Amino acid sequence: MSAPIGIFDSGYGGLTVFREIREKLPQYDYIYLGDNGRAPYGPRDFDTIYAYTLECVRHLFDMGCQLVVLACNTASAKALRTIQQQDLPHIDPKRRVLGVIRPTTEIVGQFTQTGHVGILATIGTVKSQSYVIEIAKFFPDLKVFQQACPMWVPLVENNEHESPGADYFVKKYLDALLGQSSQIDTIVLGCTHYPLLIDKIRQFLPASVQVIAQGEIVAKSLTDYLNRHPEIEMVCSKNGKTTYFTTESTQAFDEKAAIFMGEVIRSNHLAL
Ligand code: DGL
């Protein structure tokens, strides 16, 4: 039996990844689940992020998904490995859960000339050291500098990311990152919410610094994954249909998600 691909995020941020996935792979069916009711995940402790993520993954499995993408760095950093290693073998060893950190760290070294890379992410992702550890596996010579940006997700979730008030917090965290090394020439937006701030981020950075968003990288990596795993590809249904679920108000989700996706959205409420 085939089923949609599940896409999970704590809120709206995963839509920046999903948009690119669907553009590259329009033939598949998708279920997007945003846990907006409990976002942000970033400042929460390991156990909570893991418990929330697992609960949402289980809901996507209950809806039939055989493959789930955690389109959330915080969940990828704090919950993915445990879910893959401890939970999946009991739930169903044939199902797969993928994250967004590995595809990004595999190629980040291609972008930098100076070898100094900056990572902007949530407190949870920064504390997990996932980027530092993963980048060291692929590009051991790179120097990685991290900066947590705890105010950025609330700005996006509350629709304040384009307001003049957002400038202060965008500049504050960029200054703190660049203060760690003047040689940083590549900055990874290591949180799927941050691409919504990309114009403001660019505005406060020297032109020589390039900003990497993950959407396209993850979409390409998922395409490669499906090519390499025909047994998973076969169980992904293909009618080009997307269904959205949110754990918050569907009205708020529909309005916001429509801006991300450029189409009318009618989401469903998922009660947790
Ligand atoms: N969008 C998520 C990420 O990529 C997390 C945002 C949050 O809930 O704090 O990290």
Side-chain angles (χ1 to χ4, degrees):
M1 210 193 68
S2 62
I5 297 172
I7 310 281
F8 166 73
D9 182 48
S10 60
Y12 298 111
L15 292 169
T16 64
V17 171
F18 175 51
R19 203 172 43 197
E20 303 292 336
I21 289 178
R22 202 178 59 173
E23 195 169 309
K24 206 160 177 48
L25 299 166
Q27 67 272 37
Y28 295 104
D29 295 328
Y30 298 95
I31 298 179
Y32 183 93
L33 169 55
D35 191 5
N36 303 76
R38 300 189 296 196
Y41 278 18
R44 298 185 190 275
D45 64 15
F46 174 92
D47 291 335
T48 309
I49 294 167
Y50 163 63
Y52 286 1
T53 305
L54 179 60
E55 189 180 3
C56 290
V57 167
R58 280 183 179 278
H59 277 288
L60 288 166
F61 283 169
D62 289 346
M63 294 177 207
C65 300
Q66 303 292 311
L67 171 64
V68 172
V69 178
L70 302 183
C72 174
N73 286 270
T74 310
S76 300
K78 296 276 195 172
L80 179 62
R81 186 180 294 253
T82 316
I83 291 175
Q84 284 173 334
Q85 294 180 353
Q86 286 179 27
D87 299 303
L88 275 186
H90 302 292
I91 300 172
D92 182 349
K94 290 203 291 297
R95 303 208 196 197
R96 293 288 176 271
V97 181
L98 307 175
V100 289
I101 294 181
R102 174 80 184 245
T104 312
T105 55
E106 271 174 4
I107 62 161
V108 68
Q110 298 168 10
F111 298 98
T112 173
Q113 303 293 319
T114 61
H116 286 221
V117 171
I119 307 291
L120 298 168
T122 65
I123 294 171
T125 302
V126 167
K127 271 199 191 150
S128 76
Q129 295 286 331
S130 295
Y131 272 96
V132 177
I133 295 165
E134 289 295 318
I135 290 174
K137 288 183 193 159
F138 300 107
F139 304 99
D141 296 335
L142 290 193
K143 291 208 167 22
V144 181
F145 303 88
Q146 304 189 90
Q147 178 61 43
C149 314
M151 288 303 290
W152 287 6
V153 171
L155 285 170
V156 171
E157 289 288 315
N158 291 291
N159 218 3
E160 290 289 340
H161 54 284
E162 280 171 353
S163 71
D167 290 19
Y168 172 81
F169 287 106
V170 171
K171 187 167 175 336
K172 176 180 167 141
Y173 300 136
L174 291 177
D175 287 349
L177 178 66
L178 295 180
Q180 296 180 48
S181 162
S182 57
Q183 291 184 60
I184 293 173
D185 67 349
T186 303
I187 292 181
V188 175
L189 302 185
C191 170
T192 54
H193 282 67
Y194 297 175
L196 274 102
L197 288 156
I198 201 161
D199 291 341
K200 279 196 192 293
I201 291 170
R202 289 212 172 101
Q203 189 187 319
F204 289 109
L205 284 175
S208 55
V209 177
Q210 56 181 330
V211 182
I212 312 286
Q214 294 173 302
E216 260 181 67
I217 296 171
V218 174
K220 181 169 182 315
S221 167
L222 181 62
T223 309
D224 294 345
Y225 179 86
L226 292 169
N227 286 335
R228 281 185 284 112
H229 294 88
E231 73 288 1
I232 304 289
E233 200 282 334
M234 258 168 48
V235 293
C236 298
S237 58
K238 301 170 191 72
N239 305 295
K241 184 170 172 260
T242 301
T243 312
Y244 295 90
F245 284 88
T246 175
T247 58
E248 246 285 346
S249 136
T250 53
Q251 193 192 337
F253 185 91
D254 294 352
E255 281 168 21
K256 193 84 183 275
I259 300 170
F260 279 83
M261 302 306 292
E263 64 190 30
V264 175
I265 308 276
R266 296 265 175 274
S267 61
N268 305 283
H269 182 73
L270 178 73
L272 293 177

